Amino acid sequence: MNQFEKPVLSVKNLNKQFGKGCSHCRQADSPSLIKNYCRVCGTVYACREVSFDVFPGEVLGIVGESGSGKSTLMQCLYFDQPVSSGEAYMNSYENGHQNLFGESSQQQRYIRNHMIGKVYQNPLLGLKMDFSSIGNIAEKLIAAGGTNVGVMEERGSDLLNQVNIPVHRRKEAPKNFSGGMQQRVQIAKALSNKPPLLLLDEVTTGLDLSVQANVLDLIKGLQHELQISIVLVSHDLGVIRMLADRTLVMLEGRVIEQGLTDQILEDPQHAYTQQLVHSLL
Ligand SMILES: Nc1ncnc2c1ncn2[C@@H]1O[C@H](COP(=O)(O)OP(=O)(O)OP(=O)(O)O)[C@@H](O)[C@H]1O
Ligand SMILES: [Mg+2]
Ligand SMILES: [Zn+2]
């Protein structure tokens, strides 16, 4: 990580709410809010004033309980969901001067296809289960302008090899693969355009512990080799501890604490983080 370089991604005051809000919940500290949910109108304030930077070659961990807004944040960054307000800048796009959320959907597609890779919590969202594995990768390459079948075939085989999927199984559909293999195909697909930024949402959740370790080792190795920047979301502090240089802690849509992962683990400041760290011991 190099904090003296310009951030790869810079997010400022990102807000995402599901629902229109009402006169009750729009006031600060409204009694109508249960956590980030308005009991009067049913609006969920999923992300609230989220700001952070991701530096070159850095793994930024995001940890928080179920419902704290982690996946929503990742969806917003991948343009799967429009934000309610806020800004994001990527150094690789217009030199970091253009707010990504203000761009047209066509432009956002371009950014997503060329500059960001994403692994979904649910592989059904990230892969076409009936396509061949290499076809899934080719789809992303084509979206980024790839046309040469031979070149794409070779790149796809290389990638599958990198994530330890035997090349002779490249024509098989992910639906025939184990959970760990499916996540590895997602990782290969996400890496295919050599994006400067990788978004990983609970890549190992739901996998057996031994498979988890294997996928985490893979990510660690690839990160080291490619010097890519990663945002790694997990509700599991153990996963964060293994991979993240720096960590944000989210609670009810807000970032309540951030710092070097070691510091957060050794000296958590917020009561919620203290509880999280103690449950790890
Ligand atoms: N499409 C949607 N419509 C309405 N509410 C939503 C939608 N997507 C998410 N939410 C709400 O936003 C809040 C945050 O959800 P999110 O999936 O971001 O949490 P999370 O931190 O990823 O949780 P988990 O650890 O369980 O994956 C939740 O209250 C959820 O119900
Ligand atoms: Mg989630
Ligand atoms: Zn309300």
Side-chain angles (χ1 to χ4, degrees):
M1 169 181 49
N2 189 340
Q3 299 228 16
F4 299 105
E5 287 177 63
K6 274 170 77 177
V8 171
L9 171 72
S10 191
V11 176
K12 298 191 195 306
N13 306 101
L14 188 154
N15 287 287
K16 175 64 184 176
Q17 67 184 69
F18 295 102
K20 286 200 166 74
C22 67
S23 56
H24 298 275
C25 61
R26 277 193 215 112
Q27 325 161 14
D29 297 322
S30 163
S32 76
L33 287 173
I34 310 167
K35 293 187 166 187
N36 51 351
Y37 172 81
C38 175
R39 71 177 110 197
V40 178
C41 69
T43 294
V44 178
Y45 294 87
C47 297
R48 303 197 268 186
E49 299 295 327
V50 174
S51 299
F52 61 88
D53 290 328
V54 185
F55 291 95
E58 172 178 53
V59 180
L60 179 74
I62 300 184
V63 67
E65 65 184 12
S66 182
S68 56
K70 306 179 302 294
S71 291
T72 303
L73 176 62
M74 301 294 263
Q75 282 164 10
C76 290
L77 294 176
Y78 204 57
F79 313 114
D80 288 328
Q81 291 273 0
V83 294
S84 303
S85 65
E87 295 158 38
Y89 300 89
M90 280 185 85
N91 195 18
S92 54
Y93 184 69
E94 302 287 340
N95 242 320
H97 292 307
Q98 216 41 263
N99 172 18
L100 308 182
F101 299 138
E103 296 296 76
S104 66
S105 54
Q106 190 192 359
Q107 228 23 43
Q108 290 181 342
R109 237 183 342 264
Y110 175 88
I111 295 163
R112 164 157 74 176
N113 289 335
H114 290 84
M115 295 169 196
I116 311 177
K118 178 166 177 185
V119 172
Y120 286 84
Q121 181 166 5
N122 179 352
L124 282 173
L125 295 176
L127 296 173
K128 294 221 163 73
M129 286 296 168
D130 294 325
F131 272 38
S132 68
S133 297
I134 196 158
N136 270 283
I137 295 172
E139 202 192 9
K140 177 110 183 165
L141 292 171
I142 291 166
T147 50
N148 186 318
V149 177
V151 169
M152 288 193 289
E153 177 103 39
E154 200 180 312
R155 172 94 183 119
S157 299
D158 276 355
L159 284 159
L160 289 173
N161 192 33
Q162 261 186 314
V163 298
N164 307 322
I165 303 277
V167 171
H168 63 264
R169 299 193 70 176
R170 69 187 182 282
K171 297 265 161 74
E172 251 180 270
K175 69 175 176 202
N176 296 345
F177 286 172
S178 68
M181 287 171 86
Q182 289 174 353
Q183 291 311 62
R184 283 184 275 137
V185 176
Q186 277 210 82
I187 293 169
K189 177 180 171 180
L191 288 172
S192 61
N193 298 322
K194 305 187 177 155
L197 179 68
L198 200 58
L199 306 175
L200 306 178
D201 191 0
E202 309 272 5
V203 239
T204 58
T205 307
L207 302 176
D208 274 2
L209 277 180
S210 62
V211 182
Q212 260 193 33
N214 171 306
V215 173
L216 292 175
D217 274 342
L218 171 74
I219 294 167
K220 211 171 175 174
L222 289 172
Q223 199 277 333
H224 194 76
E225 191 182 324
L226 307 172
Q227 281 301 303
I228 196 169
S229 302
I230 298 181
V231 182
L232 173 85
V233 163
S234 180
H235 65 271
D236 183 346
L237 203 50
V239 170
I240 299 285
R241 172 168 62 181
M242 185 169 157
L243 289 179
D245 302 305
R246 250 175 352 113
T247 295
L248 308 186
V249 183
M250 285 185 74
L251 182 67
E252 298 167 19
R254 290 202 176 89
V255 176
I256 54 161
E257 183 157 357
Q258 56 178 309
L260 294 172
T261 306
D262 291 345
Q263 241 162 42
I264 284 188
L265 289 169
E266 270 164 39
D267 187 20
Q269 300 297 310
H270 193 284
Y272 171 72
T273 319
Q274 289 168 358
Q275 183 194 328
L276 208 63
V277 170
H278 285 140
S279 68
L280 191 67
L281 301 176

